[in-house]
Amino acid sequence: MKLVSTAMLIAALSFSAATFAQSGDMGGMKMGDKGTQNCMDMKGMKGMDMKDMDAKKCQDMMKGMDTKGTAKSTAHEADAVVKEFDATQGKVTLAHGPVKSLGWPAMTMAFGVKDKALFDKLAVGAKVHVGFKKEGDGYVVTSVK
């Protein structure tokens, strides 16, 4: 009986230590004014290539969001390379550099394009400077230079 109790105590302590070790760095993951936004809850981030995203980059990216994950500012800019676009669908995929106004690192993501005239300025592989804003669940390109 004593051996079983000792084994159970060791198992319980090992489990709690492992759990603590795994969650020890997660305290800094809470975002937003009320701690309601976190890096695991990134609604509206469809189409993003986040393979190189780590906790620090995620935290930096979320600084540009409010507690609901909505962009705080309405106008944003970035230098980018056009990866692909589909004028009939009104979409463009850009590999953009950091977006300071949102605290975003460089990444590849899809954007909507409402003004069809902007597609005349897009070509796969072209280096562009884009203006964009949050609209609904995604982001929409508003200018291309």
Side-chain angles (χ1 to χ4, degrees), residues 71-118:
K72 288 180 181 176
S73 173
T74 57
H76 312 286
E77 295 184 354
D79 291 319
V81 175
V82 179
K83 292 298 188 180
E84 63 183 347
F85 66 91
D86 184 344
T88 59
Q89 294 288 321
K91 299 280 183 187
V92 61
T93 300
L94 301 172
H96 66 75
V99 181
K100 292 181 183 180
S101 60
L102 289 168
W104 286 2
M107 67 180 95
T108 300
M109 63 182 282
F111 290 85
V113 180
K114 278 194 165 181
D115 184 355
K116 302 292 184 191
L118 293 176

Side-chain angles (χ1 to χ4, degrees), residues 39 68 102 133 141:
C39 292
K68 294 179 183 162
L102 289 168
K133 66 179 182 174
V141 172

